[in-house]
């Protein structure tokens, strides 16, 4: 049987194996709504340019409108025999609109049709992802505001460094996810050009209006080169690159949640909503949601590397290899949607154990930098010398088995005689955190101001970056 799509060139249909490897409907059906939108814009343009009659255009658009409703209601009759979503829509349109349906593909190839649909789908995915990131930021900002003065240890090398506040720590991730949204916005701008009308690769002899279809589909402009229009997938790669960075940021946050939830740290509590038990050990409560968010980052990064590998050796313009692009992008979108929902839920659910956090902030001589800063500021000693003085004080505290704030004035003066009683006011973790008032610092008043600024920058109608 001759293929309905390939026409008279082939006298027989494909083998079963060829049909199986060639079919893309099971995954590209997700672009059905975008395919209909693109086809409506194309039909309207064809009529406006006098390439098809108004009557045929109306029949086509009415038929596509019925298909749109069928898709929305879950009643569209998908047929695996028709290979992909594009042929499914075209075949159904023929059933609804009759002979007029055959005119829809005038001045259009599946190459520019697929590229248009995929750009529309990815653009929609970016908009959805941005909204989900915004929800996560809002949840982090709320948690930061509630904990602007909650003292915890700040770490470098996973060793206690300086006292910070839990609110300040939450705002660090607000900034990360803000940059992620900015990257998505940049990617969207570059993506937002229309391939429609590029044809198979060299354009068309029909007097089409590519600016008209671009405008109708919300694109900023038509793509300037027809070969690039059908061959390019860097918009998908850029989406996946941005997605990979988002996944890495979520993974880092998830890792901290796992650490903080462990009994050795005990910094946070979760409800039963985001933890599971053990099949053998009845006492266990495992942070599985955080662990899975951490793990799924590998899936996102792997998908990006997979598509890069597919694209790296392709000559101009279109090759069937590019059919492998969509499953990777769809999978990334699904994974991020789930991970963002889980991460937002965990942040909203967690309860800081403030007493344990503050107790831990006292450990590891976390106010050593404050001692060195005081010596520099009050005694006029160069910081490098103050650093050595502080090191000797830390060694003394180690010998005595106490923290810096537990050393007496006499102890400190045995290290540096010029030290006065004023030093005792700066060695507590509360004083240390409160003293860091430089822009972007952890002082509770700073954190309160930064939560307000973050709401204005990230939670308004427009992202301010």
């Amino acid at each position: 049987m001759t293929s309905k799509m390939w026409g008279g060139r082939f006298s027989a249909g494909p083998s079963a194996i060829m049909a199986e490897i060639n079919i893309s409907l099971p995954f590209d059906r997700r672009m059905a709504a975008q395919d209909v939108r693109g086809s409506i814009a194309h039909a309207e343009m064809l009529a406006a340019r006098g390439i098809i009659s108004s009557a045929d255009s109306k029949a086509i658009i009415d038929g596509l409108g019925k298909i749109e409703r069928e898709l929305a209601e879950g009643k569209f009759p998908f047929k695996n025999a028709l290979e992909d979503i594009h042929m499914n829509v075209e075949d159904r349109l023929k059933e609804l609109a009759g002979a007029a349906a055959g005119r829809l593909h005038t001045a259009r190839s599946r190459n520019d049709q697929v590229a248009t649909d995929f750009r529309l789908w990815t653009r929609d995915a970016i908009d959805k992802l941005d909204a989900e990131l915004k929800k996560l930021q809002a949840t982090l900002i709320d948690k930061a505001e509630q904990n602007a003065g909650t003292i915890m240890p700040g770490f470098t090398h996973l060793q206690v460094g300086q006292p910070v506040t839990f609110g300040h720590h939450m705002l660090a991730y607000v900034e990360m996810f803000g940059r992620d949204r900015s990257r998505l916005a940049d990617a969207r701008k570059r993506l937002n050009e229309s391939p429609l009308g590029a044809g198979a690769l060299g354009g068309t002899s029909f007097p089409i209006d590519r600016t008209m279809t671009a405008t109708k589909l919300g694109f900023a402009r038509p793509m300037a080169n027809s070969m690039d229009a059908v061959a390019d997938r860097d918009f998908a790669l850029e989406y996946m690159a941005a997605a990979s960075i988002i996944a890495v940021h979520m993974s880092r946050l998830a890792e901290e949640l796992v650490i903080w939830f462990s009994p050795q740290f005990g910094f946070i509590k979760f409800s039963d909503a985001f933890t599971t038990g053990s099949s053998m050990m009845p006492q266990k409560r495992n942070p599985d949601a955080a662990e899975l968010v951490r793990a799924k980052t590998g899936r996102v990064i792997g998908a990006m590397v997979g598509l890069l590998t597919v694209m790296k050796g392709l000559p101009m313009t279109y090759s069937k290899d590019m059919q492998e692009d969509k499953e990777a992008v769809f999978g990334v979108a699904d994974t991020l949607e789930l991970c963002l929902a889980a991460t937002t839920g965990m942040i909203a659910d967690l309860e800081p154990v403030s007493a344990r956090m503050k107790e831990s902030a006292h450990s590891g001589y976390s106010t050593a930098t404050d001692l060195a800063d005081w010596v520099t500021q009050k005694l006029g000693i160069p910081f490098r010398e103050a650093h050595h003085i502080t090191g000797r004080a830390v060694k003394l505290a180690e010998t005595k088995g106490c923290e810096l704030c537990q050393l007496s004035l006499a102890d400190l003066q045995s290290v540096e005689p010029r030290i006065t009683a004023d030093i005792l006011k700066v060695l507590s973790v509360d004083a240390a955190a409160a003293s860091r008032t430089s822009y972007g610092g952890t002082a509770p008043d700073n954190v309160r101001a930064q939560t307000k600024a973050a709401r204005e920058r990230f939670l308004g109608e427009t992202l301010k970056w």
Side-chain angles (χ1 to χ4, degrees), residues 148-151 165 430 433-436 441-450:
T150 302
I151 301 295
T165 70
D430 293 283
S435 71
R436 292 188 168 84
T442 192
D445 286 345
N446 275 22
V447 174
R448 294 182 186 97
Q450 287 297 326

Side-chain angles (χ1 to χ4, degrees), residues 230-234 236-237 304-315 317 319 321-325:
V230 298
D232 161 60
R233 290 297 184 271
D234 62 14
L237 289 167
M304 180 186 71
V305 173
L307 184 54
L308 282 166
T309 305
V310 168
M311 297 301 299
K312 72 173 183 62
L314 296 186
T317 54
S319 297
D321 309 53
M322 292 161 71
Q323 183 168 291
E324 293 296 307
D325 55 6

Side-chain angles (χ1 to χ4, degrees), residues 153 160-161 358-367 403 429:
V160 174
K358 190 168 187 178
E359 177 189 0
S360 183
H362 280 97
S363 66
Y365 314 105
S366 64
T367 57
E403 294 298 326
V429 291

Side-chain angles (χ1 to χ4, degrees), residues 81-115:
L82 294 176
E83 181 183 322
D84 61 25
I85 186 56
H86 321 291
M87 294 310 301
N88 267 263
V89 169
E90 188 172 324
D91 184 75
R92 180 59 176 153
L93 181 61
K94 185 176 180 180
E95 294 173 353
L96 295 171
R103 300 189 184 280
L104 174 60
H105 211 55
T106 306
R108 185 177 73 172
S109 164
R110 266 205 311 175
N111 291 358
D112 62 329
Q113 182 182 2
V114 170

Side-chain angles (χ1 to χ4, degrees), residues 29 66-79 88 92 95-96:
R29 61 190 289 169
K66 292 177 183 176
I67 291 172
E68 198 167 35
R69 290 190 292 276
E70 288 177 344
L71 288 166
E73 295 168 3
K75 297 178 180 178
F76 183 83
F78 292 101
K79 300 176 183 178
N88 267 263
R92 180 59 176 153
E95 294 173 353
L96 295 171

Side-chain angles (χ1 to χ4, degrees), residues 217-382:
L217 292 172
F219 289 114
R221 64 191 70 82
M223 295 185 74
N225 184 283
S226 61
M227 294 179 73
D228 176 51
V230 298
D232 161 60
R233 290 297 184 271
D234 62 14
F235 69 92
L237 289 167
E238 189 168 9
Y239 165 75
M240 295 171 84
S244 295
I245 298 173
I246 293 168
V248 167
H249 285 159
M250 281 195 290
S251 182
R252 294 187 69 180
L253 176 53
E255 168 71 0
E256 295 204 298
L257 296 179
V258 170
I259 291 172
W260 294 343
F261 187 66
S262 69
Q264 291 78 6
F265 277 74
F267 285 2
I268 60 173
K269 293 180 180 179
F270 283 124
S271 74
D272 292 346
F274 292 96
T275 58
T276 65
S278 165
S279 63
M280 174 180 275
M281 297 167 283
Q283 83 282 9
K284 292 289 294 297
R285 183 191 286 254
N286 301 321
D288 283 5
E291 291 171 0
L292 287 166
V293 167
R294 183 177 61 186
K296 288 180 184 294
T297 299
R299 183 179 299 195
V300 174
I301 295 171
M304 180 186 71
V305 173
L307 184 54
L308 282 166
T309 305
V310 168
M311 297 301 299
K312 72 173 183 62
L314 296 186
M316 287 291 220
T317 54
Y318 181 83
S319 297
K320 195 69 170 183
D321 309 53
M322 292 161 71
Q323 183 168 291
E324 293 296 307
D325 55 6
K326 296 165 197 67
E327 281 186 285
V329 171
F330 296 160
V332 165
D334 291 344
T335 300
L336 280 185
E337 182 177 4
L338 179 59
C339 288
L340 278 164
T343 303
T344 301
M346 284 188 290
I347 295 301
D349 183 68
L350 73 81
E351 178 185 341
V353 184
S354 57
R356 175 64 186 135
M357 284 184 171
K358 190 168 187 178
E359 177 189 0
S360 183
H362 280 97
S363 66
Y365 314 105
S366 64
T367 57
T369 304
D370 300 274
L371 174 56
D373 288 346
W374 185 92
V375 169
T376 297
Q377 292 173 358
K378 300 298 183 180
L379 304 183
I381 294 174

